[in-house]
């Protein structure tokens, strides 16, 4: 089947660098797309052609309404709408407008990011598990800011273990807060991206937003709060249980981590691994697992993650082969020649 869609403004950003956006649609929907004089010609199986035409119509309508798409954003949207037939480009873009994220307008850029945001809205406790760059922490902070600005909670509590990533930094100068701040920097970065600097400083000063290591959580009950437990793979089982049981009335908690990047001392089991096993059947808890397809950083990050995964699989295969290999037969001792 062939179908033509009249083009409008924004044709350059529609195609993207080296036609990357169009290639996403062609690959996902198994269609061929050609640019003619005043139209896009789509060829392929009828359902897929109709789906592609609907996406293009949404795109040109959004651009006409003043919507702009930054570099790389449109290809992420296209991946979501082609993987989930129930999602339209218009509904995906508008989903970010429906929430107040401060100075940001955000919309999920992958199917798992969409599931993650919906899980946070539906559940009071959500685990976001996956590799770096998938938006686990960033989206959690965005949802926390949205909840605070819309007065659904009265404060945000951001916490993570003070564990060094394979380094030993030694003595750090300053007071207690200044000592732990370097470990919590990613959370500050996300906050400053959502809100104006002076507003963040005022909220921190009033303790409306609290950023603290998990050692500060013991003995507390956090009511009317949005709690984010970041880098949770570096907590012990005892620490994980302690933080999870801090949740009070009218509170949400999001636990994020990457179980492939555990920096605990050798012999210490990750509390996140234990929690995923122990809590997987508990009603009311949401679990969202990200993979390398959800990485929204530089395209190299996806390839780096895949390369490490392949290396780990090969290493595990070699170790298994060595264990299963039969032991060599014992060699007979040679008698000395008389």
């Amino acid at each position: 089947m062939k179908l033509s869609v009249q083009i409008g403004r924004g044709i350059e950003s529609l195609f993207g660098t080296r036609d990357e956006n169009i290639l996403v649609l062609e690959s996902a929907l198994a269609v061929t797309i050609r640019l003619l004089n005043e139209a896009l010609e789509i060829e392929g199986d009828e359902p897929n052609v109709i789906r592609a035409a609907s996406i293009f119509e949404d795109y040109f309508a959004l651009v006409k309404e003043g919507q702009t798409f930054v570099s790389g954003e449109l290809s992420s949207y296209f991946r979501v709408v082609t993987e989930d037939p129930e999602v339209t480009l218009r509904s995906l873009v508008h989903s970010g407008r429906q929430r107040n994220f401060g100075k940001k307008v955000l919309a999920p850029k992958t199917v798992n990011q969409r599931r993650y945001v919906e899980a946070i809205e539906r559940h009071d406790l959500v685990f976001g598990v996956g590799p770096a760059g998938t938006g686990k922490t960033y989206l959690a902070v965005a949802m926390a800011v949205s909840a605070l600005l819309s007065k659904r909670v009265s404060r945000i509590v951001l916490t993570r273990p003070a564990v060094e990533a394979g380094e030993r930094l030694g003595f750090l100068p300053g007071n207690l807060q200044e000592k732990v701040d370097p470990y919590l920097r990613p959370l500050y970065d996300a906050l400053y991206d959502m809100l104006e600097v002076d507003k963040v400083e005022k909220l921190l000063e009033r303790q409306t937003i609290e950023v603290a290591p998990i050692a500060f959580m013991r003995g507390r009950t956090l009511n009317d709060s949005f709690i984010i437990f970041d880098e949770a793979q570096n907590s012990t089982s005892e620490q994980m249980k302690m933080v999870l049981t801090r949740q009070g009335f009218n509170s949400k908690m999001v636990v994020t981590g990457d179980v492939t990047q555990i920096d605990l001392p050798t012999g210490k089991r990750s509390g996140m691994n234990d929690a995923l096993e122990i809590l997987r059947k508990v009603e009311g808890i949401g679990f969202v697992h990200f993979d390398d397809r959800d990485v929204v950083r530089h395209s190299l990050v996806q390839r780096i993650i895949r390369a490490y995964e392949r290396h780990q699989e090969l290493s595990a295969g070699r170790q298994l082969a060595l264990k299963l290999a039969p032991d060599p037969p014992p060699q007979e001792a040679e008698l000395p020649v008389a």
Side-chain angles (χ1 to χ4, degrees):
M1 176 185 179
K2 284 186 181 180
L3 193 64
S4 294
V5 176
Q6 293 298 308
I7 63 175
R9 290 189 296 111
I11 191 66
E12 297 85 2
S13 58
L14 172 63
F15 274 74
T17 306
R18 298 179 181 175
D19 298 345
E20 62 178 352
N21 301 331
I22 295 298
L23 291 173
V24 169
L25 289 179
E26 288 185 326
S27 174
L29 298 176
V31 297
T32 301
I33 301 168
R34 302 180 188 89
L35 177 61
L36 305 178
N37 289 333
E38 296 294 331
L40 289 168
E41 184 184 79
I42 312 163
E43 183 177 359
D45 293 340
E46 183 175 353
N48 292 343
V49 169
I50 293 171
R51 179 73 173 146
S54 173
I55 293 169
F56 287 138
E57 287 166 0
D58 275 356
Y59 170 79
F60 288 121
L62 287 165
V63 171
K64 190 174 181 180
E65 293 167 10
Q67 177 70 38
T68 57
F69 298 91
V70 298
S71 177
E73 189 175 47
L74 199 56
S75 62
S76 298
Y77 286 148
F78 283 172
R79 288 189 185 93
V80 175
V81 296
T82 53
E83 288 182 33
D84 191 340
E86 295 182 1
V87 180
T88 66
L89 181 62
R90 176 177 287 276
S91 68
L92 187 61
V93 172
H94 283 177
S95 68
R97 298 177 183 172
Q98 294 165 4
R99 307 178 186 95
N100 183 3
F101 296 120
K103 62 182 181 180
K104 282 279 184 178
V105 176
L106 298 177
K109 295 181 180 178
T110 71
V111 171
N112 282 331
Q113 283 192 356
R114 181 169 170 264
R115 290 172 183 155
Y116 186 52
V117 169
E118 290 175 351
I120 293 172
E121 289 179 333
R122 288 197 309 267
H123 300 288
D124 288 337
L125 174 59
V126 175
F127 284 81
V129 187
T134 50
K136 305 182 300 296
T137 301
Y138 194 84
L139 285 174
V141 172
M143 294 298 286
V145 168
S146 177
L148 181 68
L149 295 178
S150 59
K151 301 188 185 304
R152 283 178 280 132
V153 298
S154 61
R155 61 176 167 169
I156 298 172
V157 179
L158 308 172
T159 186
R160 64 184 286 177
V163 175
E164 298 156 358
E167 299 178 82
R168 292 293 176 265
L169 301 180
F171 173 78
L172 292 174
N175 59 34
L176 186 59
Q177 191 64 44
E178 290 169 340
K179 291 177 189 293
V180 299
D181 274 357
Y183 299 99
L184 307 170
R185 182 49 52 189
L187 297 172
Y188 284 112
D189 290 342
L191 278 175
Y192 287 123
D193 210 25
M194 304 287 167
L195 300 168
E196 301 295 340
V197 174
D198 57 342
K199 186 162 189 174
V200 174
E201 298 299 338
K202 287 178 182 176
L203 292 171
L204 288 169
E205 186 178 338
R206 296 173 190 162
Q207 293 286 294
T208 303
I209 297 178
E210 180 183 351
V211 186
I214 55 177
F216 289 16
M217 297 296 106
R218 188 171 296 281
R220 302 176 64 185
T221 300
L222 302 172
N223 295 319
D224 200 29
S225 303
F226 197 116
I227 308 136
I228 299 174
F229 183 13
D230 192 36
E231 295 288 331
Q233 79 277 3
N234 287 327
S235 66
T236 63
S237 295
E238 295 80 9
Q239 289 172 328
M240 174 63 76
K241 182 181 177 183
M242 182 269 290
V243 174
L244 292 179
T245 53
R246 298 308 95 200
Q247 189 170 1
F249 296 108
N250 189 39
S251 290
K252 281 187 179 287
M253 182 180 291
V254 180
V255 181
T256 69
D258 178 3
V259 293
T260 68
Q261 295 194 48
I262 297 172
D263 300 312
L264 289 170
T266 304
K268 283 276 189 180
R269 181 169 167 79
S270 169
M272 189 164 205
N273 282 330
D274 283 345
L276 293 174
E277 181 180 338
I278 294 167
L279 303 176
R280 68 180 185 275
K281 294 183 180 179
V282 175
E283 187 179 352
I285 302 177
F287 297 90
V288 180
H289 292 267
F290 297 88
D291 56 38
D292 57 87
R293 292 172 298 177
D294 300 302
V295 173
V296 290
R297 290 180 182 170
H298 194 289
S299 58
L300 268 176
V301 176
Q302 277 188 345
R303 297 198 287 273
I304 289 169
I305 290 169
R306 287 171 185 161
Y308 270 95
E309 287 175 349
R310 285 194 298 269
H311 176 74
Q312 288 171 351
E313 288 170 2
L314 289 171
S315 297
R318 284 195 293 267
Q319 290 174 5
L320 181 62
L322 288 172
K323 287 180 181 179
L324 296 177
D327 294 331
Q331 293 183 349
E332 295 183 2
E334 295 183 2
L335 295 175
V337 179

